[in-house]
Amino acid sequence: MKRLAAGAGQSQPIRSRRMLLMAAASAALMSVAVGCKAPRVPGPGRSNRLSSTSRGTPSGQYSVTGEATMTERQAASDAHRPQYHFLPPDKWMNDPNGLIQWDDRYHLFYQYNPEWPYLDVKYWGHAVSTDLVHWKHLPIALVPTPGGPDKDGCWTGCAVNDRGMPTLVYTGVHPEVQCIATSSDGLTTWQKYDGNPVIAKPPADLDVVGFRDPFVWREEAGWYAVIGSGIRGVGGAILLYRSDDLRRWEYLGPALVGTEFETGTMWECPNLFPIGDKFCLIVSAVPLKKVLYFIGSYAGGKFVPQSHGVIDHGGDFYAPQTMQDRKLRRLMWGWVWEGRDEAAQYAAGWAGVMSVPRVLSLGPKDELRIEPAPELELLRGEHKHLERVELGAGARAPISDMAGAAFELIARFRPGPSGRAGIKVRCSPNGAEQTLIAYDQPKQQLLVDRTRSSTYISAHLDVHEAPLSVSHDELVQVHIFVDHSVIEVCGNSTCWLTSRIYPSRADSLGVELLAENDGATFESVEFWPLKSI
Ligand code: FRU
């Protein structure tokens, strides 16, 4: 039976699914129970259970013994390690690379540094999935070639289907040049083109800051690529190229140049693709550490922005890459970096995780809509549900059955006109640790407040705010993914905040609703524990 426990030890039965919880204007504490299972406390020794057929080594050799290395065991025992987000078995990961659907499998390559923290040299890690959720590790795809144009690292790039030949186009360093590699065994091993680099230097007439991260697509007139760059003293730029065969490239000019003051000095990881009846350009802006998008037109080699925004306001999401799958969806993953000091990262044996897959589309007002891929529902466990919970100003309502460190929660609510309302997650029983996700109605902002997320001094504690316009008669919908140290929040399918949190206590698992300054009505709260992958 569903019960509503109110105040210190008092409880009253719920008579219908429609629950009315009127809290006093004082800071009343209400507890809502929708079942009777105790929350699970995470213990040591949990692992991110990706099935692994083979393991990479710095030299690119693989053992198939399945035995975990020391750092893999160290990484697996970290209580902050996500359990349903993709990440390598250990060491450093950054940008997603080479996203492509080939036959029935999605391929996810990624910047991987198996020599971390001793050397900063990037390889391409590789994993495959048939459902976007469960991933299998494959051998390292690209390893720097001593003496070659990628001797100091195989940096970010993309994958294309060149008339049946899988082809990677990526940046070799130092200096930054563009290279290609092909595979004749179904994307498992890769042969670098003898004629690398295929673009040996930036355009002669430009004084550039950076020249990297090719993003390639096919048009009737041939192959096109945008390369991330910046024009010294001017701002971030994307440079447009054309080729007939992916090997000889002609520079066509900058497709878009920004201004240093507004959009940064250099643009990394450009993605340019059609969306609805427009085009979308995504860039990761240096030194802003922000991912910007522009919606506009693209014709005659020029991109003309009509509107712009920030892909994710949480502070810990960067360098996303997109791909179109066979369902014609535009999918996006991003690198979710760490939010704890380097010493804590080294001690953990791993750093960096991939975001959940997100689906991009164009909304009715030409706004960018970003939604979690529906395949994530495959991970859902037992559904818990609350309807119509009303909180008075200053009230908070712990929900005893919606607790954990790996879950999905969707809340639809209406804060009062002068209020701030939302959900706290990963709360310790004594309240010392908690992370607040709230909508501030007067400020029209969605926020993630991690100032009390952890008592560790190594954890980054701050508040991230995102503009989200919701009128008083509309509902705020927050879709939350919590996975140990990762928290991804999507507000009204347009506005995302991705942050890292590192609660120090094993019992920081609580979830509670709250209303500040004014009352709030929660029309529904849905909760699913999510399974490990
Ligand atoms: C973005 C980035 C890319 C570069 C890669 C190197 O995070 O700096 O511009 O190719 O990472 O790992």
Side-chain angles (χ1 to χ4, degrees), residues 48 82-87 353-356 483 486 488 533:
N48 188 295
Q83 299 295 299
Y84 64 83
H85 284 75
F86 173 80
L87 75 181
V353 44
M354 213 57 86
S355 70
V356 293
D483 189 2
V486 175
E488 292 181 70
I533 58 173

Side-chain angles (χ1 to χ4, degrees), residues 92 94-95 111 122 154-157 171 212-213 266 268-269 284 318-319 335:
W92 172 278
N94 55 297
D95 316 358
Q111 289 282 282
K122 300 293 166 55
C154 303
W155 283 17
T156 282
T171 298
R212 57 179 178 270
D213 311 335
M266 200 252 150
E268 304 184 292
C269 306
S284 294
Y318 197 67
W335 164 34

